[in-house]
Structure formats: C-alpha cells, structure tokens
Amino acid sequence: MPSIRRCGQPATLPEEWDNDPALMRSNVVGFRSRYSHLVRNVRIVAAQPLSNSPLKEDIDGRRVVVGSTSTLRRQLDN
C-alpha cells in the first residue's frame, strides 16, 4: 500500500479569500454552485450521504454546515 503524503492545513487563509468576488457570488442565498463543498464553509464532512439539511449544531451549539464525502466526490468528478 503506498504511503499518503499529507499537506499541512494553513493556519489562516489569505485575507483576500473572504473578499474574492467569485467566492462572494458563489455564496449568495439562492445560488446553486456545482462545487458547494468547496466554496461554502463546510466544517464537518460525514462519511455517509446526508438526506436532510446540511445545517447542524456543533458541540458548542454553533450552527455549522455539514457535508458528505459522497457529495464532495460527485462534485469533483463533474
């Protein structure tokens, strides 16, 4: 089995990321992006498909967006 090289996650995103015009348009209410798992603020990724609302509460009671590996794969394959 080949080893997997992991890349570290950046501590912070560049400031301009949140102000990127394409990202802002992709997150307008009602806009349906082909790549929602990449452009929306998905905080938790479940290993199973989700059939209901992707908005859940985390352990601290904050609302978070939950994604699924199957949806991410389908979006990347398109």
Side-chain angles (χ1 to χ4, degrees):
M1 176 180 234
S3 63
I4 298 174
R5 196 179 101 214
R6 295 184 181 262
C7 297
Q9 181 177 356
T12 60
L13 291 171
E15 287 184 32
E16 61 273 6
W17 171 255
D18 289 334
N19 297 320
D20 182 81
L23 180 65
M24 292 172 69
R25 285 191 300 270
S26 295
N27 283 298
V28 169
V29 174
F31 182 81
R32 294 184 51 92
S33 171
R34 285 178 37 190
Y35 307 104
S36 62
H37 276 48
L38 298 176
V39 299
R40 298 233 161 80
N41 200 11
V42 175
R43 293 287 185 185
I44 300 171
V45 179
Q48 302 184 83
L50 303 172
S51 60
N52 53 4
S53 172
L55 290 175
K56 303 290 182 194
E57 288 186 1
D58 68 7
I59 197 165
D60 292 329
R62 293 175 294 195
R63 294 189 79 182
V64 295
V65 178
V66 178
S68 72
T69 56
S70 59
T71 300
L72 177 59
R73 181 175 182 155
R74 186 178 68 246
Q75 290 177 354
L76 294 175
D77 284 344
N78 284 333

